[in-house]
């Protein structure tokens, strides 16, 4: 961490030097390396004292400005019930005992008031678990009570048993598009999708499934911090881009997909629907990936589906290639729970990583046998997913690994808030609202910019990439575009937008998106703010146009 902060400071220092020497190209290269997030931090400072004195409009971050209320009420309700259960055992001052299982289901029923909306949800959620998932009611309630109280280490450390079944049902309902995989999928809840990614890379590297010098393919443009993980020097991975572009509606073109057929490509890493382009892969591309695996059967696919519920009729790569795919999901965005840090890793019980572990050279096996022998009597057959869990605590502290149990209860509630509707064959009104919210903002932004919205099912509309060069040309002509491209770097433009107009957008090339693109998040401002962002952006163009004196030259 310190090293990273130091690097960022060093980079910023180097950027200042580069700017002074007016070496634009070198500057932009460095900007790409430090990443879009660090650049935005500077623009936030500029925007806070903007010349126009406008209120700051920061459409940089993807943190949503909505929250789910039902699950928060339900969490406190379960906590209240659970403390009461502990007090039944013994109670003196602020001290109570541990909850007892005997009769706990009946006491839950007696405590819940069907006329209270929160209790009604909990009743429906428990009914679903018992009737549809076939759980024993006392076991379920006891797990929820112990977990929310948090007086036991997570056991098993990877995932609480009822939680695993509930999360599996959620993934199947939201991301698998009908593929029945819940009974063959193992889940490891993690501190958000970010921790999931770090743990996976760590375990792939430690288990010698990815070695220094190996090639991994990355679907670009992509969420910047993810581009930076594989370049972590310790892993020594070589990365190649599998790119998509606006011309292909941000789907991956055939020539790019073909790169994955090369067996020297060991892993393929994607965000689907993507960030920043916010588009899901088409069925055609998913089918093409099946052919890719026929040619390159050892390919490990790592997919981050955090935005899956925002695209229509979404289908995860995991649903079509369960044996080759490691799935990462996070509740952060949909439910407004970024501060909770709740995400997960899902893997099939028959997966390429376990097969590759069995095929490792004897020398590697001997090394790993010694590594894991401190936590299991049969290290050779320890599944990769359990190794991810062990590695998340440097193996030695495996027995205290796993996500905090109250966080696992919260994940149960988030998942169940959807599953009770799914089970009744009804549309989930919360997911509908989340989708409608970003769609309304997107439509307002596009209309105010005079651009045609992309209403395709693949468009999650959580972010959008806007091509400011195309916008400049459409509004003021080619001569103005040329002026803009010669006189201003894209960073200059973003700095001007912040310093003069108080608007913060993100630098597209920082995500490996084309020069001239900016990422606008539709998650964190209100509809009218997006109209205002468009107005201020066009106002800056007006000022630029006057400065360029192209209009004057025409008049003369
Ligand atoms: C926001 C985001 C996440 C969520 O990360 P958390 O650590 O769960 O908050 C995951 N992946 C991508 C691509 C994201 O943009």
């Amino acid at each position: 961490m310190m090293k990273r902060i130091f690097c960022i400071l060093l980079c910023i220092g180097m950027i200042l030097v580069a700017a002074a020497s007016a070496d634009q190209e070198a500057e932009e290269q460095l900007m790409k390396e430090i990443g879009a997030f660090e650049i935005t931090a500077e623009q936030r400072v500029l925007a806070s004292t903007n010349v126009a004195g406008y209120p700051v409009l920061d459409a940089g971050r993807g943190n949503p400005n909505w929250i789910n209320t039902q699950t928060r009420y339900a969490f406190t309700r379960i906590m209240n019930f659970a403390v009461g259960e502990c007090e039944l055992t013994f109670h003196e001052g602020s001290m109570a005992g541990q909850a007892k299982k005997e009769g706990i289901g009946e006491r839950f029923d007696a405590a819940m008031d069907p006329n209270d909306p929160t209790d009604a949800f909990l009743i429906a959620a428990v009914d679903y678990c018992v009737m549809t998932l076939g759980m024993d009611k006392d076991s379920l309630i006891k797990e929820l009570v112990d977990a929310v109280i948090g007086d036991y280490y997570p056991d098993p450390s990877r995932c609480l048993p009822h939680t695993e079944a509930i999360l599996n049902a959620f993934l199947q309902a939201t991301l698998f598009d009908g593929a029945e995989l819940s009974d063959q999928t193992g889940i490891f809840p993690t501190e958000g999708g970010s921790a999931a990614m770090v743990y996976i890379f760590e375990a792939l590297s430690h288990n010698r499934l990815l070695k220094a010098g190996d090639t991994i393919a990355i679907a670009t443009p992509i969420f910047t911090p993810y581009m930076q993980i594989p370049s972590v020097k310790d892993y020594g991975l070589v990365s190649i881009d599998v790119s998509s572009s606006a011309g292909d509606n941000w789907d991956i073109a055939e020539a790019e997909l073909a790169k994955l057929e090369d067996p020297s490509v060991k892993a393929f890493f994607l965000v689907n629907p993507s960030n920043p382009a916010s588009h899901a892969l088409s069925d055609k591309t998913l089918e093409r990936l099946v052919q890719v695996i026929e040619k390159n059967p050892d390919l490990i696919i790592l997919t981050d589906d955090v935005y899956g519920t925002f695209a229509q009729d979404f289908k995860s790569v995991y649903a079509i290639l369960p044996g080759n795919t490691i799935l990462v999901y996070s509740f952060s965005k949909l439910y407004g729970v970024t501060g909770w840090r709740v995400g997960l890793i899902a893997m099939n019980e028959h997966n390429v990583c376990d097969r590759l572990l069995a095929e490792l050279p004897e020398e590697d096996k001997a090394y790993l046998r010694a590594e894991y022998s401190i936590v299991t009597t049969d290290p050779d057959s320890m599944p990769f997913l359990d190794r991810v869990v062990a590695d998340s605590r440097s193996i030695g502290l495996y027995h205290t690994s796993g996500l905090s149990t109250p966080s696992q209860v919260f994940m149960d509630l988030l998942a169940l808030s959807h599953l009770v509707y799914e089970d009744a064959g009804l549309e989930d009104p919360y997911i509908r609202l989340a989708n409608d919210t970003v769609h309304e903002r997107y439509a307002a932004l596009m209309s105010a910019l005079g651009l045609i919205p992309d209403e395709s099912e693949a468009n999650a509309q959580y972010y959008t990439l806007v091509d400011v060069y195309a916008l400049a040309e459409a509004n003021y002509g080619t001569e103005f575009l040329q002026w803009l491209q010669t006189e201003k770097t894209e960073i200059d433009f973003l700095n001007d937008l912040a310093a003069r107009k108080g608007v913060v957008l993100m630098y597209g090339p920082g995500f490996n998106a084309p020069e001239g693109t900016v990422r606008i998040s539709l998650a964190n401002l209100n509809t009218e703010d997006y109209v205002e962002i468009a107005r201020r952006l066009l106002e800056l163009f007006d000022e630029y146009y006057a400065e360029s004196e192209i209009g004057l030259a025409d008049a003369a």
Side-chain angles (χ1 to χ4, degrees), residues 43-59 476 488 491-505 525 529-547:
Q43 281 149 9
R44 236 164 243 146
V45 176
L46 293 174
S48 66
T49 56
N50 72 85
V51 177
Y54 288 148
V56 173
L57 289 177
D58 180 351
Y476 292 102
K488 304 274 180 186
I491 301 289
D492 292 338
F493 163 75
L494 286 170
N495 286 347
D496 284 348
L497 193 59
R500 297 197 203 176
K501 304 293 169 197
V503 171
V504 179
L505 305 180
L525 295 171
D529 298 327
Y530 292 97
V531 176
E532 175 64 8
I533 285 176
R535 192 194 66 75
R536 292 190 202 172
L537 197 154
L538 297 171
E539 192 175 77
L540 177 63
F541 276 171
D542 279 345
E543 289 177 15
Y544 274 177
Y545 189 70
E547 286 162 33

Side-chain angles (χ1 to χ4, degrees), residues 192-194 223 226 271 275 304 306-307 330 332-333 338 341 463:
S194 311
F223 183 49
Y226 283 3
V271 176
N275 173 3
D304 175 348
V306 59
Y307 300 106
S330 166
S332 282
K333 305 291 165 54
T338 44
R341 317 306 301 125
Y463 304 104

Side-chain angles (χ1 to χ4, degrees), residues 194-220:
S194 311
M197 283 299 166
V198 170
Y199 294 160
I200 291 166
F201 269 102
E202 178 62 29
L204 287 171
S205 167
H206 176 232
N207 281 277
R208 302 189 171 174
L209 299 181
L210 290 181
K211 299 191 197 64
D214 277 352
T215 299
I216 68 163
I218 299 183
T220 58

